[in-house]
Amino acid sequence: MYYSAIADVYEKIESTTKRLEMTDLLVNLLKNTPTNIIDKVVYLTQGKLYPDFMGLEIGIAEKLAIKALARASGAKETAIEEEMKKLGDIGETAQKFMASKKQATFFQQPLTVEKVYETLDKMAKASGTGAIDQKTAYLSGILANASPKEAKYVLRTVTGNLRLGIADMTVLDALAIAYGGGKEARELVERAYNISSDLGRVAKVIAENGLEGIRRFEVSIGEPIRPMLAERLSSPEEILEKLGGKCAAEYKYDGERIQVHKNGEEITLFSRRLENISKQYPDAIKLLKNQVKAKTAVLEGEVVAVDADSGEMKTFQELMHRKRKYEIEKTMEEYPISLFMFDALYVDGKDLTLKPYLTRRQALEKAVKQDEKVKIAKSITASSPEELERFFLEAIEFGCEGLVCKSLSEESVYQAGTRGWLWIKYKRDYKSEMTDTVDLVVVGAFRGRGKRAGTYGALLLATYDIEEDVFQTITKCGTGFTDTDLAKLPEMLEKHALEHKHARVQSTLEADIWFEPALVLEVLGAEITLSPIHTCAMDSLRKGSGLAIRFPRFTGNYRLDKAPEDATTSAEIVEMYNKQLKKITEA
Ligand code: ATP
C-alpha cells in the first residue's frame, strides 16, 4: 500500500470539522487497506506504532528531524530553523523544503506504508551509542523518497505532532462500519477493544474474520483490560435500592489499582491508566509470584502502603513516594506495601469477564493463596442499610476510603471500560480532620509479630469518660514508636498487666494483654471518625456508633505528669469531632 494513500486521507481529515465525515474518510481508508497491515495503519492514524500499553514512542526531537530534512532536501539547517520559526510546524516546513528541493533524486522509489512503518519501528527501537546518527539516517532515507505531502505527515508523525484528532471511539465506529456490517456491530467491537486495549488487534481480527471473530475475541494475557469503574451514591438506602435490596460490599482500599497479568513465571502489572508499572513494584511481583496459584491469570487489586512495623495501613499519599523512578530498592524498604485483590478476569485459560460477580470472586479465592501481605478484599453480603453502614464505618476506621458495593445479580459481568451501576462506591461526604494532639490512656496491647516479636504490635488506647468514670477505647496505635520505646514499654506496662479487662474499661475489642489504666501517651491522628467498634462517646452522636481516631501516631511524649483521669475526655473528643467536621470537596 502506498503511503501517499494515507497522506491523502490525512489531508482530508485535517480539513474536515465534522465527526461523521471524519468517520467516513476513515471507513474508506480501512476498506482500502490490505488486511495484513490494517493494524499498522490504525496505529499510524493515531500517530503511534503500537498500542499505548507497550510504552514505545517514536519520540524524535525536532533538532534531529531538521537535520534529516536538511540532508534529504539539500537545504541548510539554519534556513530550515528560520522557516520553522515562521511557520511553527515541522510538517509544513518539510513540505515547503521538499517542494523546492534543488535536485530531484533519480532513484526515487514510491514510499509504501510497510516501508514507512518498518523504518519508524527501527527508529523507535534504536538505542545506545550511535542511535542518534542511525535515526537521522533512517529518517532522511524515508524523506529522500517522499513527496512534499508525504514528508509533511512523516515528520509530524515522528515528532509526535500528527494530531488528526482521531479518537479511539471514532476508529471503533469506522471498524464496525467497514467490516462489521454497520453501526450495530459497534457494541461488540467496543467490547473487544475494552478487553484488549489494542485497536490494532481488534482491527486485524474484524478485517480477517469479521464479526464472528469479534464474537470469539477473548482476553489475552499481557494486554491490559480497560478497568470497570463504579458510580457513586451517598446513602446505604439508595445503594441497596439500586442493587435490588442486596449486595456484596467490599472495603474500598485507598491505594493504587493494579491489574496483574500472570503467565507462568512472568508477572506484569498495569496501572488504572494501563501503563506498565511493573518496575515500580518489584516487591508486589515477588509476593504475587508466591501467592497466585493459578498458572495464567488476570487479577485486579489495590496496592496499599503499610507501616513497616505495625502493619497498619497508611494513606494514599504515602504510597505516592513509590512513584520515584530511582532508588526503588530504598523506597521499597521505606514504604512497604500490601495487596488487596478484588477481581479475577481470567484464570487458567478461562476468560471470566462475562461471568457474574460471585463466580469471579470464587475464582479469585481459588487463584490466590492469602497470606499476611496478599489478601482478598474484605467483604460481606448486606441486605440492610444498618449492616452496610456498620461495615462502612469499620472500613473507614481500618484506613479505607469507604466501600465498593457490588451487584450480585446474574448479569453482574465485568463491564470493562465502563462506569456503571453494577459497582457503586460509598465514600464519606464529611470528614473531621484532627489538628491537635490528645492524651490517651493505655488499656491493652496486641502482641507484635516479625520484627516486633516479643514486644507490642499496637497499643489499645482510651479516653476518660467523666460521667461514668470509665475509660472508653478510641484507637489501636502501632505507629510512632522508636526501637527504644518498644524496648522500654513492656517494662513500663508490665506492672499494670491484668488477667482480664479492667472493670473501668469499656471495650468491644479483645486485647492480647490488658492493663490497669495508668500510662498516658500523647497521640496525633489524621482524623476522628464514627466507629462501630470503639466505645468512646458511644451513642452520643449516632446510635450504635462511637468515635475513633484514624491513622494515630505516638508523638514520643510520655505524659508521666498526667494521671489516667487527666487524659482527654470522651466529651472533648465529641467537641473536636463537631468542630472540625468539614465537607469533603473533591471530584
Ligand atoms: P476513586 O478516586 O474514588 O478511586 P476512580 O475513578 O479511580 O475513583 P472508581 O471506579 O470510581 O475509580 O472507584 C473504584 C476504585 O476503587 C477502583 O478504581 C479501585 O482502584 C479502588 N478499589 C479499592 N478497593 C476496591 C474494591 N474492593 N473493589 C473495586 N475497586 C476497589
Side-chain angles (χ1 to χ4, degrees), residues 70-144:
R71 217 181 272 178
S73 66
K76 283 213 165 60
E77 279 180 49
T78 44
I80 299 178
E81 274 165 15
E82 274 300 301
E83 196 63 25
M84 245 313 273
K85 271 193 207 131
K86 266 194 250 156
L87 294 174
D89 169 40
I90 186 87
E92 300 211 347
T93 312
Q95 190 167 20
K96 192 158 175 194
F97 279 94
M98 292 305 287
S100 57
K101 201 158 75 164
K102 291 202 186 79
Q103 183 183 4
T105 322
F106 291 116
F107 306 108
Q108 205 167 13
Q109 289 173 357
L111 271 185
T112 61
V113 175
E114 289 87 339
K115 180 75 188 167
V116 171
Y117 186 91
E118 188 191 310
T119 316
L120 298 194
D121 187 37
K122 283 189 197 149
M123 285 166 64
K125 287 178 180 158
S127 67
T129 44
I132 296 196
D133 288 340
Q134 246 177 9
K135 289 183 191 187
T136 318
Y138 283 135
L139 189 54
S140 58
I142 305 186
L143 292 176

Side-chain angles (χ1 to χ4, degrees), residues 62-229:
E62 209 160 73
K63 246 197 150 65
L64 192 155
I66 290 175
K67 204 177 223 144
L69 180 58
R71 217 181 272 178
S73 66
K76 283 213 165 60
E77 279 180 49
T78 44
I80 299 178
E81 274 165 15
E82 274 300 301
E83 196 63 25
M84 245 313 273
K85 271 193 207 131
K86 266 194 250 156
L87 294 174
D89 169 40
I90 186 87
E92 300 211 347
T93 312
Q95 190 167 20
K96 192 158 175 194
F97 279 94
M98 292 305 287
S100 57
K101 201 158 75 164
K102 291 202 186 79
Q103 183 183 4
T105 322
F106 291 116
F107 306 108
Q108 205 167 13
Q109 289 173 357
L111 271 185
T112 61
V113 175
E114 289 87 339
K115 180 75 188 167
V116 171
Y117 186 91
E118 188 191 310
T119 316
L120 298 194
D121 187 37
K122 283 189 197 149
M123 285 166 64
K125 287 178 180 158
S127 67
T129 44
I132 296 196
D133 288 340
Q134 246 177 9
K135 289 183 191 187
T136 318
Y138 283 135
L139 189 54
S140 58
I142 305 186
L143 292 176
N145 286 319
S147 70
K149 197 198 287 180
E150 289 172 329
K152 167 174 163 182
Y153 291 112
V154 165
L155 277 195
R156 280 193 186 164
T157 304
V158 296
T159 53
N161 287 306
L162 189 60
R163 299 201 196 109
L164 293 176
I166 301 177
D168 296 349
M169 295 303 139
T170 317
V171 178
L172 293 176
D173 278 345
L175 284 172
I177 298 166
Y179 292 102
K183 271 214 140 178
E184 313 77 68
R186 166 60 198 269
E187 204 178 312
L188 274 176
V189 181
E190 185 169 345
R191 185 188 128 72
Y193 173 54
N194 282 337
I195 62 172
S196 67
S197 312
D198 185 349
L199 279 178
R201 177 156 88 100
V202 176
K204 198 144 197 187
V205 168
I206 196 168
E208 280 176 356
N209 304 314
L211 220 42
E212 204 31 52
I214 290 294
R215 269 197 202 99
R216 278 185 276 123
F217 199 101
E218 285 206 335
V219 165
S220 164
I221 298 178
E223 291 179 0
I225 299 169
R226 301 182 70 227
M228 171 166 181
L229 300 172

